[in-house]
Amino acid sequence: MAEVQAKAGGRGFAGFERDVARIWLHNASETGPQTRLFRKSFDLDEAARNATLHVFAESRYHIWINGHYLGRGPAFHHPTELLVDSHALPADHLRAGRNVIAVLVQEIHESFHNRLRSGEPGLIAQLDLDGRPAALSDETWRVTDRTGWRADPPRQCWAIDYLEEFDMAASPGPWQTVDFDDGNWQAAQAIRPLTSIPGARFLARPLPGLAHQWRKPARFIGAYSISEPAAPERRFKSTGDLGNFLANVPWTPRPDITIDASANSFTLHPASPSEGLICCFDLGAETVGQINLECDLPGEGTIDIGWSETLEPDGRPDLVRKGVGYVNRIHATQGYLDWSPIQFSAMRYIMLMIRGFDGPVRVRRFGIRASKPDVTWDAGFRSGDSRLTAVFDMCLLSQRVGTQEAQMDCPSREQASYVGDGMITARWFAQLTGDVRHWRYLVHEQFRRQGENGIIRSSIFSGRSDTLVDYVPLAIIGLRDYYLYTRDIDSVQSLIGPARKSHRFFDRHRSAGGLCTWTYRKDQPMATWENLYDPSQPVFGDSEGLTLFIDHPGMGWHNQQEAGIDRRGINAGLNLLVVIAQRALADLEAAIGNTAAAQALRADADHLAKLAHEAFFDPAASLYRDGVLDDERLEQVSEQTNTFAIAARACDDETARSILLRLLKNDDPDISRNGPYFWAYLFPEMMRLGLHDIALDHARAKWGEMIDGGASTLWETFLGDDLDTWCHPWAGAPIDFVLNGLLGLPSAAFDDKNVTLRPRYDLLADAEGSIHTRHGRFEIAWKREGDRAVLRGAVPAGLRASIIRPDGSSIVRVNGEWKTFIDLHHDHR
C-alpha cells in the first residue's frame, strides 16, 4: 500500500454533523482487546478539489483512503476532551468512481498509564468534500469483528497495553482496498448521542499531527537458525514470558545467509519445517512507529516479530528489558501477508523469526512505518567540537521520536505524559520548532482532573490513581515558564485557580509559619487503577498514593548500585521545590494584576527559604543534607537537594558556587548524583553562576558515555543498564546548556527590553545555531581567526540585542542580520 506524509493537524474542524453516529459492533464474549474493521464505499462523479476526513475513535484507530495510509490516532486525551483529527487528503487520494474509507479501531476494557477508559468504544467519522459533509459514520458503514487479532493476549507491561497475536486464517485479507468485497460484513451499530459523558466535548486536535514515512533497515546484523517446534500453542502470561522463551531457544549463527539491507527484499529457504530462521536488522538509529512485514508465505507456520532499543552482548536484539517483552506473533497460512501491529513502539533493532514453513518465504519488505511530529525542526546547533555536536544531535533526535500522540517519558515501556518530564520537553520542543501546542496542551490538561485536596496526577492521562507529589509544584512552575515564553495571559487566568489549589496542599502541611512537614511513607499501599472514567476520581489521601520522587537514585527503580536520596522525615528537596513553586505562583499572580498576593507569596517564599537553610544546611560540611528526622539532620548528601537549594536561592551565590565546585569535583560514591533528568535543573544554575567550563566538561563526558555505549537517543539514567529505556527525552538537559549557555541565545523567559546574546567563543573555536522565541528565531555563528573572532547572526524584527563578552562587558548592539568582529586580546587583558 502506498505510504504518504499524513498531516493531521486538526485545523478546520467545526463539529460533527447532526446525522453522524458513533458506530461499533458489540460482542459480549470479548473481554480483552476488541478490534473492529470498518469500511465505507461511496461514488464520486468527479474527484473532489478539497477533501478533509474528520475522525475520532475510542481508543485507537488507523485509517486508509483507497488503500493509502493516512495515519493513526487519537492524541492522548481525557474522556471529557475528545480530540478529533482532521486529515487533509492529497489530491490523488480520491478519484471519480468508487472510493473507500477503511478504519481499524481497537478498544480495550481497561485503562493504562497514558489512557483513561471512557467505556464508550466506537468510531466517529465525517468526510467533507469541497466544504460539504459526506460519508458520515452511520448504519450504512460495514464492520467485522473477524479481524485476525486475538482478544486474549497477555499484557505487555503494567503501563501499556497488550502483545499482539494475529491469525491470518481469521483475517479478511486486503480489506483496505477499493475492490475488496465486504458483502458478508455486518451493518455498523449506530449510537446516538455521540457521547453520554457529562460535559464531554469534541475538539479539534490541539497538537501537531504525525508524519508517517516508510523506513527500511540500514544494516543487516545477521541470520540464525533454530530447531524449536513449528507452531507452539503454549499460552504465555506476559510478553516477558514469550520474549524469554524466544531468547532462550538456542540460536545458531548462519554466516552463509547474507541479506542486502538496501534492497529490503529477500527470500528465506528453511531446510525443512523443523528448521526456523531468524534475521536481525539495525534501523541505524532509534525509530518510533509500527513494524511492517509484507511477504508471500508457502503455507502454515509461525512468525515472531521482535524489536529492541539495545543488543545483547552476543549481538542479538534484547527482546526483554526490565520484564517487558517486545515481541508480536503471527499464526500464518498460505498466501500474501501485509501486516503491521496496532500499537506503536520505539526501536532500533528489529527481528524476523519464521518457523514451520515447508518452502521458501519471500519477504517483499521488512521495516517500519516511522512516525514523528509533523513540524519543522529548524533550530539547532553545530560546532567543530564533534563530540558536543553528537551529544546535541542525540538530544534532538530524542525529542523528535519521543513526541508522538503527546509528549512522552519514553515511547517504549511507559509512553506516558508526566508533568515533570513534559514541562521541560515541551519547552525544548518549542525552542527547537517554534511550536507551543504541546506545551499549552500539557499546562491545561495537567489540572483537568485535580483532586479535592489540590493534588494532580503526575502522569496526566493515567488511569492509575496515584502521583509523584513533587510533580505538583512542578506543574505550577511549568505554567509560569509557559507564560514567560508565550505571554499567554488567557491560560494564566483560566488556570490560576487550580494552581492556587495545588499550592494550598503544601501550605496545609506546614508547621505554624514553618517548614512543610509532609513525609513520604515508603511502605504505603499502591493506589488502585481507575479502569472506567469516574468524575469523582482521583481521590488522594494525605499520604496514600503520594510518592516523593525528585530523581531516580534511592527509589529502587533504577541506579540500584548507587547512593540514593534519603527521603525520610521532613524532606529538604520538597521544601526547596515548594519555595521555587511559590515564587512561580507569585509571578503568575503578578501577571494578572494581583500585586498584593504576589508580594505576600514572595515574602513567604523568602521566609521558607531561610527556614530551609537553617534546617538543612550543615555548616561543618558546607552542604545541604537531605532532610531532618527526629530533629536531627540526615547524613545523606545529594546533588539533587543542593541543586534545589541553589535554585531556591536558599544561600548566596558565593556559597552556591562553592557547593557546586565541591560536589562536581568530588568522586565520593556516598553522594547521590543527579541523573540526566535532574541536570535540567542544574545546568541553568551553573550558567547563572558562571561555571560554563565545568558544565561543558560534564556535558561532553556524561552524555558522551551514552554515545560511546552505542546510543542514538538518550538513556533513562547515566548507567544505561537493563533497568533503563534508551529513549528518554527528559534526559535532554544539554539542549538548554548548548543553546543558552554556549551559543548565548536568549532563554525561554528572556526580557524583551533587555535582550542579550552571550556567545562563549572562549570555550568553542567555532559554533553556529538558532533558537525559537515568541518573537521569532534568533541565529548566531562565530569562528575564531587568529587574534579575532568573526560573529554573525540574526535578531527577530523589532528587537535589538546587546552582545556580551564572556567577561561580562558589552560589545555592540545589533538588530536584523548582523556581523561583527571581536578582538580576542581584550578577553586576555
Side-chain angles (χ1 to χ4, degrees):
M1 296 176 189
E3 301 290 340
V4 300
Q5 294 287 323
K7 298 182 179 182
R11 292 172 292 181
F13 175 72
F16 288 116
E17 292 294 312
R18 178 177 298 179
D19 294 335
V20 76
R22 173 163 53 95
I23 56 176
W24 192 240
L25 179 62
H26 288 284
N27 184 339
S29 66
E30 289 182 322
T31 58
Q34 295 192 7
T35 307
R36 303 288 184 266
L37 308 179
F38 294 90
R39 283 173 55 90
K40 173 62 178 177
S41 298
F42 58 97
D43 293 315
L44 294 177
D45 293 334
E46 59 182 8
R49 291 186 299 273
N50 296 293
T52 303
L53 184 57
H54 307 291
V55 59
F56 171 80
E58 177 64 36
S59 60
R60 290 187 173 93
Y61 76 82
H62 292 266
I63 192 163
W64 294 258
I65 185 80
N66 292 341
H68 297 278
Y69 182 74
L70 293 181
R72 67 172 194 256
F76 293 174
H77 62 279
H78 285 110
T80 53
E81 308 288 296
L82 307 176
L83 305 187
V84 179
D85 292 330
S86 295
H87 299 270
L89 305 185
D92 61 346
H93 279 26
L94 289 176
R95 61 189 185 183
R98 178 56 54 95
N99 294 266
V100 68
I101 301 169
V103 191
L104 180 153
V105 178
Q106 186 177 77
E107 198 275 342
I108 301 176
H109 288 314
E110 57 191 302
S111 296
F112 301 122
H113 210 35
N114 57 20
R115 170 184 173 257
L116 184 61
R117 178 176 171 251
S118 71
E120 298 188 338
L123 166 69
I124 306 170
Q126 175 178 308
L127 176 64
D128 289 345
L129 299 177
D130 294 330
R132 303 187 308 275
L136 309 180
S137 54
D138 58 17
E139 298 87 344
T140 65
W141 286 54
R142 309 295 290 173
V143 61
T144 183
D145 58 2
R146 283 187 55 79
T147 65
W149 271 272
R150 287 190 173 180
D152 61 346
R155 277 287 293 266
Q156 188 166 359
C157 72
W158 68 272
I160 55 177
D161 34 52
Y162 286 83
L163 172 151
E164 297 184 36
E165 277 194 87
F166 184 78
D167 289 322
M168 278 185 68
S171 71
W175 63 278
Q176 303 98 325
T177 61
V178 174
D179 297 331
F180 177 80
D181 182 5
D182 57 20
N184 63 345
W185 289 19
Q186 301 181 53
Q189 299 166 349
I191 304 164
R192 299 181 179 91
L194 298 181
T195 177
S196 62
I197 297 175
R201 56 182 182 160
F202 290 93
L203 303 171
R205 177 183 178 129
L207 303 172
L210 296 175
H212 300 271
Q213 188 175 36
W214 167 257
R215 283 194 60 180
K216 61 186 177 182
R219 177 175 69 93
F220 174 59
I221 295 175
Y224 305 82
S225 63
I226 58 171
S227 57
E228 185 63 25
E233 284 300 315
R234 169 184 171 185
R235 303 304 296 153
F236 295 93
K237 294 181 179 179
S238 72
T239 52
D241 289 344
L242 174 57
N244 284 319
F245 171 73
L246 296 176
N248 292 329
V249 172
W251 293 27
T252 303
R254 291 288 303 273
D256 57 307
I257 297 177
T258 59
I259 294 172
D260 180 3
S262 64
N264 198 227
S265 60
F266 51 93
T267 301
L268 298 177
H269 298 273
S272 69
S274 63
E275 180 193 43
L277 291 177
I278 306 168
C279 295
C280 301
F281 299 87
D282 179 3
L283 294 167
E286 187 88 352
T287 308
V288 174
Q290 286 100 1
I291 294 174
N292 177 236
L293 171 64
E294 187 178 355
C295 60
D296 298 300
L297 301 169
E300 293 186 355
T302 300
I303 301 173
D304 290 308
I305 295 177
W307 66 97
S308 71
E309 297 179 307
T310 63
L311 295 177
E312 297 278 11
D314 62 2
R316 300 187 301 174
D318 188 358
L319 301 179
V320 182
R321 198 163 181 84
K322 204 177 181 181
V324 183
Y326 299 99
V327 184
N328 286 321
R329 172 163 287 182
I330 299 170
H331 302 275
T333 58
Q334 184 179 11
Y336 170 73
L337 173 68
D338 185 356
W339 184 85
S340 290
I342 298 171
Q343 311 305 333
F344 67 87
S345 189
M347 64 201 76
R348 175 168 176 176
Y349 306 100
I350 56 177
M351 176 207 77
L352 174 64
M353 178 184 291
I354 65 167
R355 288 173 290 160
F357 291 102
D358 188 6
V361 172
R362 187 168 74 89
V363 176
R364 301 190 187 190
R365 70 175 186 175
F366 181 55
I368 184 170
R369 181 192 293 135
S371 56
K372 61 183 179 181
D374 191 13
V375 297
T376 301
W377 299 78
D378 59 351
F381 167 78
R382 280 289 177 272
S383 171
D385 186 327
S386 59
R387 190 164 184 81
L388 187 63
T389 300
V391 166
F392 189 89
D393 287 345
M394 179 172 59
C395 294
L396 179 61
L397 179 60
S398 301
Q399 309 312 309
R400 284 183 173 179
V401 301
T403 305
Q404 296 288 317
E405 274 72 350
Q407 296 272 317
M408 298 181 186
D409 65 325
C410 65
S412 57
R413 187 175 61 225
E414 293 186 43
Q415 300 182 350
S417 294
Y418 281 94
V419 172
D421 312 11
M423 287 303 115
I424 56 175
T425 58
R427 171 165 51 84
W428 295 335
F429 189 97
Q431 291 176 307
L432 292 166
T433 68
D435 195 311
V436 301
R437 284 177 285 178
H438 278 289
W439 204 356
R440 185 180 190 280
Y441 188 59
L442 287 178
V443 299
H444 281 266
E445 293 306 302
Q446 66 186 352
F447 293 114
R448 179 71 57 191
R449 308 189 61 239
Q450 189 174 33
E452 285 301 313
N453 60 359
I455 294 294
I456 61 174
R457 298 174 190 259
S458 54
S459 180
I460 297 172
F461 305 103
S462 179
R464 183 166 160 162
S465 191
D466 64 353
T467 196
L468 307 178
V469 70
D470 46 302
Y471 277 27
V472 181
L474 289 175
I476 302 171
I477 296 167
L479 173 58
R480 188 273 314 274
D481 291 347
Y482 167 78
Y483 168 70
L484 292 177
Y485 184 84
T486 63
R487 293 302 195 263
D488 177 3
I489 195 65
D490 291 340
S491 289
V492 176
Q493 290 172 331
S494 66
L495 298 175
I496 192 69
R500 291 168 181 156
K501 188 175 181 179
S502 287
H503 181 66
R504 284 197 292 270
F505 172 83
F506 300 98
D507 266 352
R508 287 195 300 271
H509 287 84
R510 287 174 65 177
S511 60
L515 296 171
C516 175
T517 58
W518 182 87
T519 55
Y520 167 48
R521 285 178 50 204
K522 191 169 185 178
D523 63 343
Q524 64 179 314
M526 292 300 293
T528 59
W529 281 88
E530 183 186 344
N531 284 326
L532 184 64
Y533 172 66
D534 178 353
S536 70
Q537 295 289 327
V539 176
F540 295 106
D542 279 357
S543 59
E544 289 189 3
L546 303 183
T547 296
L548 180 61
F549 175 62
I550 300 178
D551 195 10
H552 277 310
M555 289 304 301
W557 306 333
H558 300 269
N559 303 90
Q560 291 183 352
Q561 62 270 52
E562 294 183 349
I565 301 166
D566 193 336
R567 295 170 174 82
R568 295 177 299 158
I570 301 174
N571 183 262
L574 184 60
N575 272 277
L576 294 160
L577 184 57
V578 169
V579 171
I580 301 169
Q582 193 160 336
R583 291 187 180 131
L585 184 58
D587 292 342
L588 295 170
E589 295 283 11
I592 60 173
N594 294 334
T595 305
Q599 291 174 343
L601 284 165
R602 290 193 179 105
D604 189 53
D606 292 344
H607 176 63
L608 181 54
K610 182 175 182 294
L611 292 174
H613 178 79
E614 293 170 352
F616 307 122
F617 187 74
D618 182 348
S622 295
L623 294 167
Y624 289 90
R625 303 288 180 177
D626 277 353
V628 172
L629 180 64
D630 298 331
D631 296 324
E632 296 288 337
R633 292 192 192 98
L634 298 170
E635 286 297 314
Q636 183 63 52
V637 171
S638 68
E639 289 183 348
Q640 293 87 348
T641 291
N642 283 273
T643 298
F644 271 160
I646 292 167
R649 307 297 190 267
C651 59
D652 58 58
D653 288 355
E654 183 179 352
T655 302
R657 194 174 290 106
S658 173
I659 288 172
L660 290 183
L661 289 173
R662 292 183 59 209
L663 288 176
L664 295 173
K665 293 184 177 182
N666 187 336
D667 60 359
D668 184 350
D670 292 331
I671 295 173
S672 176
R673 303 295 180 177
N674 287 337
Y677 161 66
F678 218 81
W679 276 80
Y681 305 109
L682 179 55
F683 271 134
E685 297 308 313
M686 296 183 74
M687 289 185 274
R688 182 177 67 83
L689 297 169
L691 301 178
H692 294 70
D693 54 343
I694 298 174
L696 177 56
D697 289 343
H698 280 77
R700 285 190 185 117
K702 288 182 172 294
W703 279 265
E705 287 182 7
M706 299 184 193
I707 295 170
D708 295 341
S712 63
T713 47
L714 297 161
W715 294 348
E716 194 167 6
T717 76
F718 288 124
L719 294 178
D721 59 17
D722 61 354
L723 300 177
D724 285 3
T725 69
W726 272 30
C727 185
H728 239 68
W730 76 348
I735 293 173
D736 274 334
F737 173 60
V738 169
L739 295 181
N740 307 142
L742 294 178
L743 290 179
L745 295 166
S747 69
F750 73 94
D751 182 352
D752 295 359
K753 297 179 182 179
N754 187 28
V755 183
T756 59
L757 304 177
R758 299 174 178 269
R760 294 307 302 259
Y761 51 82
D762 58 324
L763 298 177
L764 296 175
D766 65 279
E768 63 178 301
S770 58
I771 194 171
H772 284 279
T773 72
R774 64 181 172 274
H775 292 292
R777 187 163 168 259
F778 283 83
E779 302 175 14
I780 197 168
W782 70 79
K783 186 177 181 62
R784 293 203 304 249
E785 298 176 348
D787 293 335
R788 70 174 188 172
V790 181
L791 278 73
R792 57 180 172 81
V795 173
L799 295 180
R800 291 181 64 85
S802 297
I803 299 179
I804 307 298
R805 294 179 184 271
D807 66 5
S809 63
S810 178
I811 303 170
V812 68
R813 296 267 290 172
V814 295
N815 65 292
E817 292 189 7
W818 58 268
K819 184 176 182 179
T820 191
F821 304 90
I822 297 175
D823 179 7
L824 297 178
H825 285 299
H826 176 280
D827 297 313
H828 299 288
R829 291 174 185 169

